[in-house]
Amino acid sequence: MDTGNVMDIYAIYLFRPGSSPVDWCEGNYLISSNIAEFVNTFSNFLFILLPPVLIMLFKEYGRFVTPGIHLLWVLLIVVGLSSMYFHATLSLLGQLLDELAILWVFIAAFSLFYPKRYYPKFVKNDRRTFSWLMLLSAIIATGLSWWKPIVNAFVLMLMSVPTMIMLYTELQRVRDQRVYRLGLRATTVWGVAVFCWINDRMFCEAWSAINFPYLHGFWHILIFIAAYTVLVLFAYFYVESELPQRQPLLKYWPKNEFEFGIPFISIRNPDSKDWHVYCSLFMQDFNNGKSLCTEGSKII
């Protein structure tokens, strides 16, 4: 058999429904004849619906701190779409797209917000060098993910553990109690999400016996809440540590006093030149036609 035929066969296998070695607890094709795991597919809805809101809320952050924050929100959409495709088909391609999208969220987040105090010495506190190191690691990990697809999910799960340990360490340094409380809530939600993931993967028979094989669907909802909240927190830590003059402030939408809303970071003291450009574009008072951008204005 020539190489071309082997590649053709592998390509067919890659796209074939059910070709993934991973099959979650939910029964296949029980609700729809076209969707393998119906609940696991549509439980990704938050990955699709919420990132556009986050892009809007972090427009100020992207303007005054780093536009890279928007890449993270776009990658979360990619994770949601990839996960939907995987659970709808259980194809090997769907599995790899799902897992690689998650991997690249990790890499992008580390590149943007990984605290410099944890950098290896040879990086010499240079974020650009560290970002290149992360990119190289991502490329190598992407290649390795095709080698043993069955272990990919466990590797990604293990990657979250040092992330949460680092979050705990950073929370011990924070002075804003709203940030601290958000960190505690994020850690709790992450813990419940991991509980759902492990039980769905390891104890499927027990949950199926009580007719509830849907814990992986709850994992999708909970891990999105935990993931984007952790990203918000590290976006805050980054400004507080490396751009303290910007004066980051944790806020909630739609009502700032309600701490179970959608968290985002406001910048209270942007660079004055950038601030006036931003104001002229986005913060006009349309009631009387006058600009809100007066000299020395700050975001409150």
Side-chain angles (χ1 to χ4, degrees):
M1 185 179 294
D2 61 36
T3 304
N5 288 337
V6 171
M7 293 302 294
D8 289 343
I9 293 172
Y10 185 74
I12 293 172
Y13 177 77
L14 195 65
F15 284 91
R16 193 185 72 195
S19 56
S20 169
V22 177
D23 189 0
W24 296 94
C25 193
E26 182 185 357
N28 298 338
Y29 300 104
L30 296 181
I31 298 177
S32 170
S33 59
N34 298 313
I35 300 174
E37 297 175 347
F38 191 89
V39 173
N40 286 350
T41 297
F42 289 100
S43 57
N44 286 287
F45 66 96
L46 285 179
F47 284 91
I48 312 301
L49 296 180
L50 203 55
V53 178
L54 293 168
I55 290 173
M56 177 192 71
L57 293 175
F58 276 81
K59 180 162 53 176
E60 180 184 295
Y61 190 98
R63 179 71 178 87
F64 298 121
V65 180
T66 172
I69 187 73
H70 299 311
L71 174 62
L72 297 176
W73 310 138
V74 172
L75 284 173
L76 287 181
I77 296 175
V78 175
V79 170
L81 293 174
S82 300
S83 183
M84 291 182 72
Y85 174 62
F86 167 49
H87 289 289
T89 65
L90 293 180
S91 66
L92 179 58
L93 178 64
Q95 177 197 337
L96 292 172
L97 289 175
D98 183 14
E99 292 163 348
L100 289 176
I102 297 170
L103 170 68
W104 282 87
V105 170
F106 271 109
I107 296 301
F110 286 166
S111 298
L112 287 170
F113 299 136
Y114 196 87
K116 287 185 176 180
R117 66 179 65 92
Y118 304 122
Y119 278 10
K121 291 183 178 180
F122 68 87
V123 173
K124 298 179 180 178
N125 280 342
D126 182 61
R127 188 166 295 278
R128 182 182 296 273
T129 302
F130 184 77
S131 297
W132 281 109
L133 179 63
M134 288 293 97
L135 178 61
L136 178 61
S137 301
I139 293 172
I140 294 173
T142 298
L144 291 175
S145 68
W146 296 76
W147 178 44
K148 289 285 186 181
I150 191 67
V151 305
N152 291 348
F154 293 96
V155 173
L156 290 171
M157 180 62 68
L158 289 174
M159 287 179 66
S160 69
V161 175
T163 302
M164 299 308 293
I165 293 174
M166 186 165 55
L167 173 63
Y168 173 81
T169 304
E170 291 300 301
L171 286 174
Q172 306 312 303
R173 306 167 61 91
V174 78
R175 291 172 293 179
D176 188 330
Q177 288 303 301
R178 293 187 102 197
V179 175
Y180 185 79
R181 289 193 297 270
L182 180 62
L184 293 182
R185 291 196 295 273
T187 304
T188 301
V189 173
W190 174 79
V192 177
V194 171
F195 171 85
C196 292
W197 190 92
I198 292 174
N199 274 267
D200 190 273
R201 191 65 180 261
M202 303 294 187
F203 306 106
C204 177
E205 289 186 6
W207 289 96
S208 295
I210 59 174
N211 295 316
F212 197 79
Y214 304 117
L215 286 180
H216 195 74
F218 281 90
W219 151 264
H220 286 154
I221 295 170
L222 294 170
I223 200 58
F224 175 82
I225 295 171
Y228 96 84
T229 304
V230 169
L231 291 174
V232 170
L233 287 164
F234 276 98
Y236 176 90
F237 298 148
Y238 171 77
V239 181
E240 189 180 54
S241 175
E242 299 190 27
L243 297 168
Q245 71 278 10
R246 292 287 195 260
Q247 299 180 20
L249 180 66
L250 174 65
K251 287 187 175 182
Y252 292 89
W253 183 86
K255 189 175 178 63
N256 188 38
E257 291 75 19
F258 182 64
E259 292 195 14
F260 289 91
I262 300 175
F264 68 100
I265 307 303
S266 176
I267 304 300
R268 288 180 288 179
N269 187 34
D271 178 78
S272 59
K273 181 179 178 181
D274 285 347
W275 167 235
H276 288 295
V277 172
Y278 181 84
C279 270
S280 66
L281 292 174
F282 301 115
M283 298 187 66
Q284 297 293 327
D285 182 355
F286 294 103
N287 290 325
N288 54 27
K290 294 181 180 180
S291 174
L292 297 174
C293 310
T294 56
E295 191 68 33
S297 293
K298 294 183 180 180
I299 301 173
I300 303 301

